[in-house]
Amino acid sequence: AGEYRHSMNEFAGLRNLELWYLHLTPAEIQARWGVSAKPKALKTLTASLTQGQHRDNLRAMEKLTRRVNGRLQIAANPPLIVPIEDLDSSLLPADWEITLRKLIASYRMSLQPDLRRLVESFEYLHMARKVVGVGSVGTRCWVILLQGRDPDDPLFLQVKEAEASVLEPYLGKSAYGEHGKRVVEGQRMLQAASDIFLGWERVQLGVDGKFHDYYLRQLWDWKISADVELMSPAELLIYGRVCGFTLARAHARSGDRVAISAYLGKSRAVENALADFAAAYADQNERDYQALAAAVKDGRVKAQTGI
């Protein structure tokens, strides 16, 4: 939280283009925090950031697919990944494959012309339902496997349902007519480098007879998932600073960085308030979990464990 405030104060003084081109690389992490960080902790964290470069489509193919009669398919890993043919047919429209192909075709229109051409060079192979993170639980999510030049040229697209923003009841409806577009435009604004395949579509992918908004992106595109449970306090401190810097840059790009910096000020009042809130939130999480565990034990809630 302190790094967020310091970074926002720094960004308030940057020219517009300086802010827009600002990126954080492992070398810049070393330059920014190397003096105050333990060398081993900094080396471990930068190595984790570098490993993200190996999370690409070839790695996804190795981890998530199998060959059936010489053709690539997404491997079943229920309940996290369920291939389309293993799903209850009542959960899908009768012409789901036609619907899917229409989705891919129309989704291309949300991309730049050169990227539309790139997507057109791939053909559909397979599809599976995927369970994703906590923030997306209860929404529809799919993984689509496409093939380019040959079987060693895969493209995995993730199709995630986009619902109305939780802020709409308080701030009014979004300026965007489709929730998928709202999510995509928000990501493009906030992220220093967004996935080139990031796009949106509204389509019927279910049996409720309703159209739903989706946004699409690559499944793996050098995304980094930090294992904070295994970090030492020194590593976690650097990672927290990286997160504070990144969040401040996103807010500086999308909002009034001078006004935000002026509000935050030079004292520690904001970070102290955020730290107090985080501690109270963690306590509430523990109470919520104990209530859930008690409900499972009493049979009021059915839970599947060991996934």
Side-chain angles (χ1 to χ4, degrees), residues 127-140:
M127 174 180 174
R129 186 183 65 191
K130 187 176 188 298
V131 176
V132 287
V134 172
S136 300
V137 166
T139 59
R140 299 163 176 83

Side-chain angles (χ1 to χ4, degrees), residues 236-270:
L236 189 59
L237 178 59
I238 301 172
Y239 182 67
R241 286 173 169 167
V242 170
C243 291
F245 173 96
T246 303
L247 183 63
R249 181 188 57 197
H251 289 171
R253 285 172 57 129
S254 59
D256 186 337
R257 60 187 185 275
V258 175
I260 297 174
S261 174
Y263 174 80
L264 295 175
K266 297 182 178 180
S267 75
R268 299 185 51 145
V270 169

Side-chain angles (χ1 to χ4, degrees), residues 46-58:
T46 52
S48 298
L49 297 176
T50 303
Q51 287 177 1
Q53 298 179 8
H54 301 292
R55 289 179 59 83
D56 57 13
N57 283 283
L58 291 177

Side-chain angles (χ1 to χ4, degrees), residues 218-237:
Q218 287 186 81
L219 180 62
W220 288 357
D221 63 335
W222 292 19
K223 287 183 289 188
I224 300 167
S225 180
D227 196 348
V228 295
E229 292 86 355
L230 300 180
M231 288 184 180
S232 68
E235 293 164 3
L236 189 59
L237 178 59

Side-chain angles (χ1 to χ4, degrees), residues 17-34:
L17 287 180
E18 286 179 327
L19 175 64
W20 204 260
Y21 286 122
L22 185 64
H23 288 72
L24 192 61
T25 65
E28 288 164 343
I29 292 175
Q30 173 74 48
R32 278 182 173 272
W33 300 296

